[in-house]
Every structure is written in structure tokens, then in C-alpha cells.
Amino acid sequence: MTRSNLVGGEMLNWSDLHPGDARPAAAGAAAQALLAATLTPDANVLLAGPHAAEVVEYVASQVTLVDLLVRSAPDAEELAELLDTTKGQVFCGSLDRFAVEETAGTRRGMGGGVPGASAAGAVGGAGGGYDVVVALDGLERLVGPDSGGFGWGDCLARLSGLLRPEGILLLGAANGFGFERLVQPDISAALPRDEDWGREAGDRAPAGLKRVTVAVAGAGLQVEQTFAVFPSLVQADVALTEVDGLAAVVAARAVASRNEGPVLMDPYRVVLDAAEAGVAFELAPAWYFVVGAETPAVLPVGVVPEGEGVLLEEHLLMALRCDDQAELRRVVPQYVAWLGAGGAGSPDNVIVDGGSYRLFGEPQELDVVEHLRRFATRVLEGGGRVPWPAAADAHQLTGRLAAMAGITVPEPEFTPDEVIRPRGSAEQLQTVARLAEELADASARAILFEGTASGIRRSRPYRVGHAVLNPARVIRRRLKRVLKKVRR
């Protein structure tokens, strides 16, 4: 006896909701925001593929009828119990076996699934009966290892056939060459996960935004909106139609929060640099494709600050890179004055628009020096250029910046733990190269000074002066010794 409907191709000893060696199910604030923007109370919905329990519960609370299709038998039982009082059914198996005559529309008003039903004849979607089909986890986990030859394109065609005319399809797609490939070493080839079982060569998802878009269009689907999802498809914190300006800062923070360990490059800086180059959307960790509906440009709404301006941290970093000390001396005192007037944000949390400043995010209750030190720390962690060789540590750089606003920073006791190390391997190499260049410049100046001093010693005026002054020095030393004896 089972609570779910077995349609064939089910995986009995596997879980996508609680994976032991695989990625978890799709979830996140952006996923729920997308569902909130597209679902209507009278819609009948198919959730295809693994979605986190909170996503399933949210959909069930918003619509009249919701069916679930998952390949894992334990997940199907868990979700069927979770939706025991909800109209709809849970189907367990592969998408290629999900093919019947009865449509979801004929089951409006029916109760939940019948425990123990295992015939595919109870499936509700094959005739094109769903108002909304949701596959935010992507298409790769809609089939199991027994469904050879049923690839990504076949899954997309089957899902589009489950839609009513003018229906809505919400599709997720992971990016195989996104920011994580740039900031984290890829060890999956050497250490494959349990979910990376052998598949036929053709059973691969399209690689890259362009190919995914072409594949969706080739299935006869008109994409209304495409979102870049950060930081990942299974942790969709934010989804953006444009990754630039302050939206790029939000995306960079999301990627950096997911990659807090050792990295090849600083994730935060990589995203912002990619946004400046206009390629951040193509390098996003994942995308959402919306077919048949209009949604807001930012999900969740309000996560990106409105209005003009740039992040103060980026403005100061640009001045440091360009060695524009005049701009630093202009902006730093203004920022300190803003803090004195009640502002509460470090440069990475403040937006500057001309001469005005406003908070970006939650207030930070720190004093002025701590705000400046936070910025100095982020500069050194990112391997940023510092125009003053003497300001090679966080305290000295903080003192330089504070002095521009007339603040004196006391000298603390040095401890080795306070040494700021660059965030990524690339930034470490940049810092080593910068320090090596500064050391070479200092060595060259020392050699030049020594050569100049040696030339002066060999010059005629120096030798004449030395010959004149040397006897006077000898007489002075002798008089001092005599006077010392007399005093005794």
C-alpha cells in the first residue's frame, strides 16, 4: 500500500529531498516569489521534479489543485502525507512514463490521491490539462537511470504537452559554466557523486544561456522573461532580469555568501567585474524561464534598492586604483560627516549619489574608525591596489583614510592574527606580485642612494671639508676627556 501513484521508473532507494551525496531540491525566496507572481487561486498546477517541502506547501496553499511528479519513492510517500488534506495527487516515477488520457481539468473538485493506487490511468496531465507546470529544479531529475534515451529535450517537449493552451511553464536550468567554475575548482570528474550515474551521450542538458534559449524556442515555447538566479538553482535567493548596477551588488553578495571557504578568486569581485564587462547574466549559476506570464523584473521584489547611485565601496576602490587621492580626500570627509549626522553603514553598505548618502541594507552600529577599518580590510582581502606602500596593512590604511577626515587612529599592539590575507588564490598572487614590485623599487632606490652617497664622498669638496673638519673633531674629543677628568 502506498500513498502515491506509481507510474513506472520510480527509484525505491533514493531521495532527492534528503540526498546523501547529491544536490538538494529546489528552494529559495526567489522561487517562492516567482510562484506568488504567477499562480492564481483557481489554477491547477503540476510540480514536476524535486522541490523543497516548503515550496510544495506554499503552492498547495495558493491554488485549487496541485499534482506532484517525483522519481523518488520515499519522497513521494513523504509529500503525499504532507499533502494529505490537499486536492491533488502525488505521482512517483519518470516523466517518460507519465502518459495517460485523463487531464487535470477533469479532476477539479476531486479529493486527494487514493492510497495504494498504482495505475498510470489516474494521472492527470497528459492531455494538456494543467494551467501551470512548475519545474524550477530543472529537467535532469525528472527521469531515473532506467529511462535511457529520454533526454533533456524530450523532457521539455513532454512538459509542454502537459499544458493547457495559454498555460504557464516555469522552468529552471542550471549553468554548467557559471561563476562557481571560476571561483571553485571542479572536482566532480575526479570524485563523481552518487547521482552522476552513467547516461547516454545525448542525454545532456544544453550548455550555456544561448543553447538553452534555443532549445526552449525549438520546443515551440515563447519565453516571456528570463531571470538570472543567484546563488544557485537549489538556493534561489534572488532572481534578476538585468545584472548591473546595484542589482550586480546583490548578486555578488549572494555568490560570495555561498563560497565562504578557500576559493580561486574572490567571488564578490568576480561577479562585479563580470557585471561591468556585461557578461554577468550569461555566467549566472542558473536561470528561470517564464513561458506565458509577466512577472516583476526583480524577485523577491524590493531586494534591490531603488534609485540612482553607486556603492560607496566601489567608488572608493576606483579612486584607489586610479591613485585619485584628491577624490579620496573629498569623499572620505563627506562620508565621515554623514556618519556623524546619524548614518550607520560601512562603505560596502552605503550608496553614494553625488553628494548624498543612503543606507543599502541593515544598519551597522560601529564607530567611524571601525567603518573605515572594515573598508580597509575588504580592500586587502580583495587584493586591491593601495597607492601608499607604507599602508600595506589594515591599520595603516585605516589611519591614512581617517587622517583625511582629521581623525587620529591610535597605534594598537601588533598580533600575527590581525594580518589580512587576500580572499582568493588569484588575489594572493596579485598581492605577492605587488609586494615584490614594491620591494624591487625600494631596493633600486637604496642602490641609487648608496651610489649617490658614494659619489659625494669621492668628490673634491667633500674631501676638502673632511680634511678641515676632522682635526677640529679630534681636538673636541680630547677637550671633552680633559674636562671630564677635571670634574672628577
Side-chain angles (χ1 to χ4, degrees):
M1 296 292 291
T2 66
R3 293 176 178 269
S4 60
N5 300 280
L6 305 181
V7 299
E10 57 274 352
M11 299 174 68
L12 302 179
N13 190 24
W14 182 262
S15 175
D16 290 311
L17 291 181
H18 311 288
D21 187 24
R23 62 189 178 97
Q32 291 199 23
L34 178 60
L35 293 169
T38 54
L39 298 180
T40 57
D42 59 343
N44 54 332
V45 180
L46 171 66
L47 274 175
H51 296 79
E54 59 267 21
V55 175
V56 175
E57 288 182 304
Y58 177 79
V59 173
S61 67
Q62 299 296 311
V63 299
T64 302
L65 181 146
V66 55
D67 286 345
L68 273 65
L69 173 64
V70 293
R71 63 182 182 176
S72 165
D75 293 349
E77 295 301 304
E78 178 181 340
L79 294 173
E81 184 175 359
L82 182 68
L83 302 180
D84 188 52
T85 60
T86 302
K87 292 182 180 179
Q89 301 188 60
V90 178
F91 302 97
C92 178
S94 296
L95 180 61
D96 58 319
R97 316 291 177 88
F98 192 66
V100 291
E101 295 118 8
E102 188 178 357
T103 68
T106 64
R107 293 189 293 107
R108 289 182 182 270
M110 291 180 58
V114 179
S118 60
V123 180
Y130 290 106
D131 298 315
V132 184
V133 173
V134 180
L136 297 182
D137 185 76
L139 305 181
E140 293 85 351
R141 296 196 283 185
L142 286 172
V143 296
D146 296 330
S147 298
F150 198 80
W152 193 93
D154 299 315
C155 289
L156 180 60
R158 181 64 56 84
L159 285 184
S160 63
L162 298 176
L163 280 172
R164 289 177 177 271
E166 308 300 326
I168 298 173
L169 173 63
L170 305 180
L171 173 65
N175 186 3
F177 193 82
F179 285 115
E180 288 206 357
R181 284 286 298 274
L182 301 178
V183 303
Q184 290 282 10
D186 185 12
I187 62 172
S188 60
L191 299 172
R193 296 176 298 186
D194 288 345
E195 68 176 354
D196 297 328
W197 50 71
R199 300 290 298 275
E200 294 185 7
D203 292 353
R204 292 185 178 181
L209 177 62
K210 182 177 180 180
R211 291 187 177 182
V212 176
T213 304
V214 170
V216 173
L221 301 172
Q222 180 65 41
V223 176
E224 301 292 340
Q225 279 183 304
T226 303
F227 292 92
V229 178
F230 298 90
S232 70
L233 195 62
V234 299
Q235 185 188 340
D237 293 339
V238 60
L240 309 165
T241 56
E242 297 288 341
V243 186
D244 56 5
L246 297 177
V249 175
V250 174
R253 290 180 175 182
V255 174
S257 67
R258 182 177 168 85
N259 298 275
E260 295 181 347
V263 290
L264 299 176
M265 293 186 287
D266 181 7
Y268 185 83
R269 290 253 51 90
V270 168
V271 176
L272 290 184
D273 291 345
E276 186 177 358
V279 296
F281 198 94
E282 288 76 8
L283 291 175
W287 304 285
Y288 284 159
F289 297 90
V290 181
V291 176
E294 288 288 343
T295 55
V298 176
L299 300 172
V301 177
V303 72
V304 177
E306 298 181 356
E308 300 297 326
V310 297
L311 199 66
L312 177 59
E313 179 181 81
E314 292 302 304
H315 186 73
L316 294 177
L317 284 174
M318 181 58 68
L320 287 174
R321 293 193 195 103
C322 301
D323 199 6
D324 190 353
Q325 298 190 34
E327 181 67 8
L328 291 172
R329 292 189 178 93
R330 184 187 70 84
V331 174
V332 171
Q334 289 183 353
Y335 165 62
V336 172
W338 177 77
L339 291 175
S346 297
D348 62 299
N349 207 37
V350 173
I351 300 172
V352 56
D353 183 11
S356 64
Y357 298 81
R358 67 181 189 274
L359 197 61
F360 178 8
E362 297 296 326
Q364 299 169 336
E365 299 300 332
L366 305 172
D367 62 30
V368 175
V369 175
E370 289 174 331
H371 283 304
L372 294 175
R373 181 178 175 82
R374 178 178 171 87
F375 170 69
T377 300
R378 290 173 65 87
V379 170
L380 298 177
E381 286 180 343
R385 180 181 178 274
V386 179
W388 310 287
D393 62 65
H395 175 74
Q396 292 174 345
L397 181 55
T398 302
R400 286 268 188 172
L401 297 172
M404 296 178 184
I407 299 173
T408 301
V409 180
E411 190 70 28
E413 293 184 2
F414 174 78
T415 58
D417 295 337
E418 293 181 356
V419 175
I420 305 300
R421 292 175 175 81
R423 180 74 174 82
S425 300
E427 288 76 23
Q428 292 174 8
L429 293 175
Q430 291 175 2
T431 302
V432 170
R434 176 174 60 83
L435 294 176
E437 183 178 355
E438 291 179 1
L439 181 59
D441 290 342
S443 178
R445 287 195 296 269
I447 293 173
L448 177 62
F449 176 78
E450 182 63 28
T452 302
S454 178
I456 292 174
R457 293 191 190 99
R458 292 194 301 268
S459 66
R460 184 183 298 274
Y462 178 84
R463 285 183 292 170
V464 171
H466 188 270
V468 172
L469 294 176
N470 191 51
R473 293 194 186 98
V474 174
I475 294 171
R476 180 173 175 272
R477 285 198 295 269
R478 290 180 178 178
L479 285 174
K480 287 179 67 177
R481 286 198 296 268
V482 171
L483 291 173
K484 188 181 292 185
K485 290 179 181 179
V486 170
R487 288 174 182 171
R488 290 178 182 177

